[in-house]
Amino acid sequence: MRLLVLIAVAGAATLSAQTPAPITPRAFLDKYCVTCHNQKLHTAGLAFETLDLTKPAANAETIERIIAKVRQGSMPPPKMPRPDAATYRVVATALENAVDQAWDAHPNPGRIAAVHRLNRSEYSNAVRDLFHLDFDVKPLLPGDDTADGSFDNFADVLSISTTHLERYMSVARQITRLATGLPPSQPTVQRFEIPLHVLQEDRMSEDLPFGSRGGIAVHYDFPTDGQYTIKVKLQRQYQDYLKGMGWPQMLDIRLDGKLLKRFTVGGGAKGRPAAASYAGDGEPGFAGDPSWETYMQLTGDAGLEVKIPVKAGPGVVGVSFVREMWEPEGLPQPQQLGRVISNDQVYMGYANVGSVEIGGPYNATGPAKDSPSRRAIFVCYPKAPAEDQGCATTILSRLARLAYRRPVTKADVGTLLQFYENGRKDGGRFDTGIQFALERMLVDPDFLLRVYRDPVEPKGVAEPAVRRLTDLELASRLSFFLWSSIPDDELLTLAERGELHNPANLEKQVRRMLADSRATDAMVNDFAAQWLNLRRVEEVVVDPTKYPNYDESLLRAFQTETEMFVAANFRDDRPINELLDANYTFVNERLARHYGIPGVYGSRFRRVTLPNHDERGGLLAQGALLVTTSYPDRTSPVLRGKWLLNNIFGTPIPPPPPGVNATLETKPGVLPPTMRERLAQHRTSPTCNSCHSVIDPLGFALENFDVIGGWRTIDESGHPVDASGTTASGEKINGLAGLRAALLEDPSAFPQTVTEKLMAYALGRRLEYYDEPSVRRIVHNAAGNDYRWSSLVLGIVQSPEFLMRASQRPST
């Protein structure tokens, strides 16, 4: 009873003078909740009349469920007696204080799986940092599962199959031969294609010259010194006819910006051409003369190839057209994209690059003499046979320490030296021995796995409930959190000396690592890409009939916008809430035109201030998030509402039950009802209504945005858009501005969602009820610094969950 009185006092202290008299959590449950959650009905498996609030530690899981519902204001359900907002806040605060005090006395850091495999992104980044080699292993390794649609670095879903083992061995050979500069066993040809629906009307990359149009910039690692070929094929329409070949255009092939050769393509067809858009159609009277047909199908892009000597190392192969500006005569025609891109030969339009093939090396005489990866590996090189063993030991010891993320033992080095000797059998060079030893290093479990080992206590000594991570375990956890890669030398050295746990040293390392560009890359490409579903953008399909101005260039612009927006917010250590309320974004001309932002020209992305904050601003109005929460031919308040609840409000929603029809199909030839009417029919089912009564009203707030994120005032059914909705608490909102205001009403709410997501990503496991006190403390401490990224990251790193590990799985 004494603790119950303290809870009531804590709740009362938060009330302002004008609020009603305080209510205790016990009285709140008895008045508003026990009607449904009792021993007889047992709704949601809960019976509150027997819940002992004086023992928060023993009942923490149930109390956390209550806190979540009370904070959302979602319970009691509509049409039942409900308290006012002030009462919700008082009760939630009182319950949180009670649970947090009990947690302070006995923190539970949780327990991650003992074996944590590197995912594909971490593997690629580790190779990059070990060998100074950008090598994308994602196409070569099996995909990583995600845990409940969240993050692909959760230890319990990163299993190891025989396929993984086979691919690890194959990939290790490819990487180490490339890194050491050994020539491949035979020349290879790699093809880089440009998707058909990517427009090539502007400069396509910062790596291509000013005044260029279309094409592609390929970042390519040339494995060794030798002759290489670069072959270009032009883009064709669906009947395999070249596009834009009615007039001569200049095509350049470059290496690292230097012009290798300029070709003239187009304008060489003889005879009568086929009728516009009828190339390859086969209709009598529409086909072109035989000579024209041959040119358009066979010879128009023949011979677009160069063969040049190239030194080993990274290079940029650029293929682009010289941009020529022109304006068609006659009446202006509406822009038609969609199917026209693939159907029409656009004879008098622009020619496009279809693919670039890089082949080689030919006439390779031996290992490369110099490259960034060879400089990273060969810190010494023997000048005489007597120096071979010593130099090999130096190289392998240094790299194994970084790869294994710990001091190496004599046994470690002995194993690698044995493989070094095997690689030199039959007259092999020093380089081949090193390559074979490094190949062995990359398949070692100490590289592929992060293993947490519980120390064995002496006989008769009880195992502690929790234990602190070793400094080496902490160094790996920190580097994989912030860089999605292995620790660097400075971090590893500090851990080896046992000084990383020192709070001052730990904070200094966190701030140093956050300032490194690898932190921004990891946060955008690994954390935000999964949290915001950016990886789904490239999978999006849009109905070209309903959205004829859609093209893949727009999708790429959507993704670039959000990536640059999040990167700037993280890199500049801005407040988290700015992600929702920013008055700026990043656009190029194509995206600015789509958003209706004037005065933006060219393909380069730049930061712009938004002219109308009620229509644009923050993540919720960005095309990447809107297009991935739509169907190909219509918007979906359900998908958008579910995404908002899961990722922005931090309220997970379960998937629909099996067999539920979620298509909302309409009969052909019948004017479809409004989306609101269709979803109202959907909610007549009690099974559906339990979740959709919360999901749908939130999704309606984004109905001013069409499938591809364009602003609209008329919906698919021809009616004025109704963007009014409600939150889970029943608060009325209207459109983007109302949704944004509801989210920012409590300035700590969105930072708490981000902290929960970021903490799960940092730990590599799902958050459980016993993690919530730590989340609340991190958010509370970050309030004084305006909820900036650095405050949240430091709070996570300094939390018991990050620094410690339960000795056994906690009981629920």
Side-chain angles (χ1 to χ4, degrees):
M1 291 302 295
R2 183 180 179 186
L3 182 56
L4 185 60
V5 172
L6 291 175
I7 294 172
V9 171
T14 64
L15 293 176
S16 58
Q18 67 271 24
T19 55
I23 184 172
T24 66
R26 179 74 267 167
F28 180 92
L29 295 182
D30 291 341
K31 182 175 181 179
Y32 296 107
C33 307
V34 170
T35 304
C36 297
H37 302 288
N38 53 57
Q39 291 278 44
K40 183 177 181 181
L41 297 179
H42 221 62
T43 305
L46 298 173
F48 289 158
E49 75 264 46
T50 59
L51 178 64
D52 189 352
L53 295 179
T54 65
K55 296 179 179 179
N59 298 296
E61 183 174 10
T62 300
I63 296 175
E64 288 292 351
R65 293 177 65 182
I66 297 172
I67 290 170
K69 294 296 183 182
V70 172
R71 279 293 180 197
Q72 296 161 18
S74 58
M75 286 291 168
K79 300 181 180 179
M80 295 287 287
R82 294 166 65 91
D84 58 22
T87 301
Y88 275 124
R89 288 195 296 271
V90 169
V91 172
T93 301
L95 290 172
E96 288 170 352
N97 289 342
V99 173
D100 293 352
Q101 289 171 17
W103 184 88
D104 283 340
H106 300 285
N108 182 355
R111 179 181 175 89
I112 193 173
V115 178
H116 194 166
R117 174 174 64 80
L118 303 192
N119 63 23
R120 293 183 300 175
S121 179
E122 293 166 342
Y123 188 107
S124 290
N125 293 339
V127 167
R128 174 200 65 198
D129 293 343
L130 273 174
F131 302 137
H132 293 192
L133 178 70
D134 283 318
F135 187 92
D136 185 10
V137 303
K138 292 177 183 176
L140 304 176
L141 292 178
D144 298 312
D145 293 329
T146 57
D148 303 328
S150 51
F151 299 107
D152 63 6
N153 70 339
F154 282 10
D156 61 348
V157 297
L158 288 170
S159 57
I160 302 177
S161 64
T162 54
T163 303
H164 280 97
L165 300 179
E166 293 168 358
R167 298 309 302 162
Y168 280 140
M169 295 177 69
S170 173
V171 168
R173 170 157 293 195
Q174 291 184 56
I175 290 171
T176 54
R177 289 187 69 88
L178 183 61
T180 54
L182 297 184
S185 57
Q186 60 184 11
T188 60
V189 176
Q190 196 167 353
R191 182 183 178 91
F192 302 89
E193 294 188 356
I194 303 178
L196 186 61
H197 284 82
V198 171
L199 293 184
Q200 298 187 39
E201 298 177 350
D202 294 307
R203 181 174 175 235
M204 301 297 289
S205 167
E206 295 296 306
D207 294 313
L208 294 174
F210 289 109
S212 66
R213 175 193 65 78
I216 187 174
V218 178
H219 289 256
Y220 189 82
D221 269 290
F222 295 93
T224 190
D225 302 348
Q227 295 281 329
Y228 292 85
T229 60
I230 303 172
K231 184 177 181 180
V232 180
K233 301 297 290 184
L234 299 182
Q235 193 179 85
R236 298 164 181 265
Q237 43 87 289
Y238 79 114
Q239 293 278 29
D240 212 29
Y241 279 66
L242 293 168
K243 297 169 64 175
M245 300 300 286
W247 57 291
Q249 299 156 70
M250 290 177 286
L251 177 72
D252 292 347
I253 299 179
R254 299 172 181 269
L255 178 60
D256 294 329
K258 180 181 178 181
L259 181 64
L260 302 178
K261 191 170 183 179
R262 174 169 289 173
F263 298 90
T264 298
V265 299
K270 306 296 183 183
R272 177 176 56 83
S277 80
Y278 276 87
D281 192 83
E283 290 287 335
F286 289 98
D289 287 344
S291 59
W292 185 90
E293 295 278 335
T294 300
Y295 181 81
M296 292 292 288
Q297 295 184 71
L298 300 175
T299 62
D301 63 350
L304 303 180
E305 183 175 357
V306 296
K307 188 171 185 178
I308 54 167
V310 183
K311 297 290 186 182
V316 179
V317 175
V319 177
S320 60
F321 291 92
V322 176
R323 186 171 188 179
E324 298 181 66
M325 306 295 291
W326 53 275
E327 193 70 27
E329 296 179 348
L331 293 174
Q333 299 296 312
Q335 186 182 32
Q336 295 195 33
L337 303 175
R339 290 178 179 167
V340 175
I341 295 178
S342 58
N343 292 356
D344 198 348
Q345 74 266 29
V346 287
Y347 190 55
M348 294 305 295
Y350 284 130
N352 295 325
V353 175
S355 66
V356 175
E357 295 178 356
I358 302 176
Y362 304 99
N363 304 323
T365 57
K369 294 181 175 61
D370 183 50
S371 69
S373 55
R374 280 186 64 86
R375 290 193 292 272
I377 293 170
F378 294 101
V379 292
C380 63
Y381 203 88
K383 297 179 180 178
E387 300 176 1
D388 287 5
Q389 189 81 0
C391 183
T393 301
T394 299
I395 291 172
L396 298 175
S397 300
R398 172 183 166 274
L399 289 174
R401 170 179 173 267
L402 294 172
Y404 300 162
R405 306 175 287 280
R406 60 169 174 77
V408 290
T409 64
K410 290 183 178 180
D412 295 325
V413 178
T415 298
L416 296 177
L417 285 175
Q418 183 179 351
F419 275 79
Y420 160 78
E421 295 292 349
N422 291 340
R424 297 201 64 178
K425 285 181 178 179
D426 302 323
R429 299 165 55 102
F430 179 78
D431 307 62
T432 60
I434 294 295
Q435 179 275 322
F436 199 46
L438 295 180
E439 184 179 333
R440 167 63 177 80
M441 185 184 77
L442 292 188
V443 297
D444 195 291
D446 279 347
F447 173 69
L448 296 172
L449 307 174
R450 295 155 59 190
V451 179
Y452 296 91
R453 295 179 173 87
D454 289 330
V456 178
E457 299 296 334
K459 188 175 181 179
V461 177
E463 183 181 25
V466 299
R467 73 170 185 88
R468 194 178 75 167
L469 297 186
T470 68
D471 279 61
L472 290 171
E473 289 171 339
L474 178 59
S476 284
R477 175 171 279 189
L478 183 60
S479 65
F480 281 104
F481 170 32
L482 296 183
W483 288 347
S484 195
S485 184
I486 57 177
D488 64 359
D489 181 71
E490 180 176 333
L491 183 63
L492 194 55
T493 299
L494 200 63
E496 288 170 340
R497 294 203 301 254
E499 299 174 1
L500 184 56
H501 265 95
N502 179 287
N505 289 340
L506 185 60
E507 179 173 347
K508 181 180 178 182
Q509 288 301 308
V510 169
R511 295 192 181 280
R512 176 183 73 87
M513 295 172 75
L514 286 175
D516 193 295
S517 62
R518 286 175 288 183
T520 302
D521 291 342
M523 285 296 154
V524 172
N525 299 323
D526 294 316
F527 170 68
Q530 295 181 85
W531 166 42
L532 301 175
N533 289 347
L534 296 183
R535 292 181 180 177
R536 287 200 56 235
V537 173
E538 61 184 20
E539 303 169 5
V540 165
V541 176
V542 175
D543 186 344
T545 303
K546 293 192 174 182
Y547 293 92
N549 61 338
Y550 148 79
D551 59 78
E552 201 161 327
S553 298
L554 185 61
L555 285 185
R556 290 186 173 188
F558 285 158
Q559 185 160 350
T560 301
E561 173 197 21
T562 303
E563 288 173 349
M564 293 183 70
F565 178 74
V566 174
N569 188 269
F570 178 83
R571 184 176 55 247
D572 298 340
D573 198 20
R574 301 295 302 163
I576 289 291
N577 283 325
E578 194 174 282
L579 290 174
L580 299 179
D581 197 35
N583 66 346
Y584 65 88
T585 191
F586 294 82
V587 296
N588 62 359
E589 181 178 355
R590 176 74 179 91
L591 187 56
R593 187 168 64 245
H594 181 68
Y595 284 169
I597 301 173
V600 178
Y601 303 101
S603 59
R604 181 181 61 85
F605 278 79
R606 77 291 312 260
R607 176 171 166 161
V608 298
T609 301
L610 295 163
N612 190 339
H613 198 229
D614 288 339
E615 294 183 8
R616 296 287 168 191
L619 290 171
L620 304 184
Q622 293 185 0
L625 310 183
L626 294 164
V627 74
T628 54
T629 52
S630 297
Y631 290 111
D633 59 343
R634 66 170 177 85
T635 60
S636 174
V638 175
L639 294 180
R640 289 178 176 178
K642 186 175 186 294
W643 183 88
L644 285 169
L645 286 166
N646 285 341
N647 297 290
I648 304 299
F649 284 88
T651 307
I653 296 293
V660 171
N661 180 12
T663 60
L664 300 180
E665 294 175 349
T666 58
K667 296 180 179 179
V670 177
L671 186 66
T674 65
M675 184 61 62
R676 204 173 277 270
E677 292 168 341
R678 280 187 271 179
L679 288 173
Q681 297 171 9
H682 204 58
R683 290 195 300 273
T684 56
S685 164
T687 304
C688 299
N689 186 61
S690 60
C691 288
H692 283 271
S693 60
V694 178
I695 297 172
D696 301 353
L698 273 179
F700 287 137
L702 296 176
E703 274 293 273
N704 277 120
F705 299 101
D706 64 20
V707 168
I708 54 176
W711 183 263
R712 66 179 183 174
T713 56
I714 303 296
D715 64 17
E716 291 96 343
S717 62
H719 295 87
V721 167
D722 180 0
S724 61
T726 57
T727 64
S729 66
E731 178 186 355
K732 293 183 178 180
I733 56 176
N734 191 10
L736 172 66
L739 177 60
R740 187 193 288 137
L743 281 164
L744 297 175
E745 184 178 0
D746 177 1
S748 69
F750 180 59
Q752 178 155 336
T753 299
V754 176
T755 301
E756 289 173 345
K757 298 288 184 181
L758 191 59
M759 192 171 191
Y761 171 81
L763 299 176
R765 65 169 174 84
R766 302 169 186 82
L767 293 197
E768 305 291 348
Y769 71 90
Y770 46 78
D771 297 309
E772 291 304 320
S774 195
V775 171
R776 288 191 287 268
R777 173 169 294 178
I778 292 167
V779 174
H780 178 268
N781 292 341
N785 197 29
D786 222 2
Y787 306 108
R788 296 179 188 273
W789 281 99
S790 60
S791 299
L792 299 185
V793 169
L794 276 168
I796 290 171
V797 171
Q798 294 166 348
S799 69
E801 283 85 350
F802 199 87
L803 298 173
M804 306 174 78
R805 181 171 181 258
S807 295
Q808 58 185 351
R809 291 197 176 277
S811 171
T812 58

